[in-house]
Amino acid sequence: MKWSAPIQHVQVVEVGQENSQNKDTLFLQSGAKRASGACNSGKAFLGPPRLYHELQELQHDLSVVEEVTLLVGTLQGTYQNLNTTVSQDWCLALQRLIRIKEEQIQCANKCRLRLQVPGRPDKSGRPVSFMVVFNTPNPLSKISWVNRLHLAKIALLLHFFTL
């Protein structure tokens, strides 16, 4: 990636500034284990698209369990392990899992480095750019990388003016 575009044209895009479901986004994921830090989960990084999908599944399941809870409340008879207390416990457990998944997504976003890189112009001559997403081992690594990119841009600019 580092030789595909002039460094001056590479821009860091922070999370929330563009559509995260952009079809032009390329996710490069490392199979390495996470270093210790705020995002350490003890397993290989799944990447936010997978986390978002898992969150959607949990939210769907919570919706279904809430409906089941309402139906269980209408039962005429008494049944072991099929009462509103048990179904409400399911709801609470799913809500806890949803909160955990949301925290994982926030942590993963703190470790994601998004770069907008210019590409070749399209057939009509309009400029085209694409998004590249790197997953850093921890938030400090991301900050360090961004700082080094900005310092490299400044160094190139200073070198240009000294010529």
Side-chain angles (χ1 to χ4, degrees):
M1 283 304 305
K2 71 180 182 178
W3 300 114
S4 69
I7 197 167
Q8 298 88 345
H9 299 279
V10 175
Q11 296 178 3
V12 176
V13 179
E14 287 301 319
V15 173
Q17 291 184 345
E18 89 297 336
N19 183 358
S20 63
Q21 298 301 321
N22 187 341
K23 64 181 179 183
D24 297 329
T25 302
L26 171 66
F27 293 94
L28 301 176
Q29 298 181 355
S30 167
K33 302 283 185 193
R34 285 190 178 274
S36 61
C39 296
N40 189 6
S41 63
K43 62 182 178 179
F45 183 75
L46 297 174
R50 173 80 175 160
L51 294 175
Y52 283 114
H53 179 73
E54 291 171 358
L55 177 61
Q56 288 174 339
E57 288 177 345
L58 286 170
Q59 290 170 334
H60 168 77
D61 292 350
L62 177 60
S63 174
V64 171
V65 171
E66 286 172 339
E67 290 179 32
V68 169
T69 300
L70 293 174
L71 291 173
V72 167
T74 64
L75 292 173
Q76 302 265 328
T78 305
Y79 305 95
Q80 184 180 5
N81 293 329
L82 187 58
N83 57 54
T84 54
T85 304
V86 171
S87 57
Q88 287 172 350
D89 287 344
W90 289 349
C91 287
L92 291 174
L94 282 169
Q95 289 169 350
R96 279 192 296 272
L97 290 173
I98 287 171
R99 280 193 301 274
I100 290 169
K101 193 60 61 183
E102 288 171 342
E103 290 171 3
Q104 289 174 341
I105 289 170
Q106 287 177 354
C107 183
N109 282 336
K110 289 178 184 176
C111 297
R112 294 176 81 199
L113 176 62
R114 296 173 185 223
L115 300 177
Q116 185 172 350
V117 181
R120 292 190 178 134
D122 65 9
K123 291 180 181 179
S124 66
R126 290 183 300 191
V128 174
S129 65
F130 58 96
M131 190 74 61
V132 181
V133 180
F134 295 96
N135 296 313
T136 62
N138 55 56
L140 290 177
S141 177
K142 174 186 172 180
I143 292 167
S144 174
W145 203 98
V146 170
N147 286 341
R148 289 174 188 234
L149 175 68
H150 290 304
L151 289 173
K153 286 182 176 185
I154 291 168
L156 282 173
L157 188 61
L158 290 174
H159 178 71
F160 176 75
F161 284 118
T162 59
L163 291 177

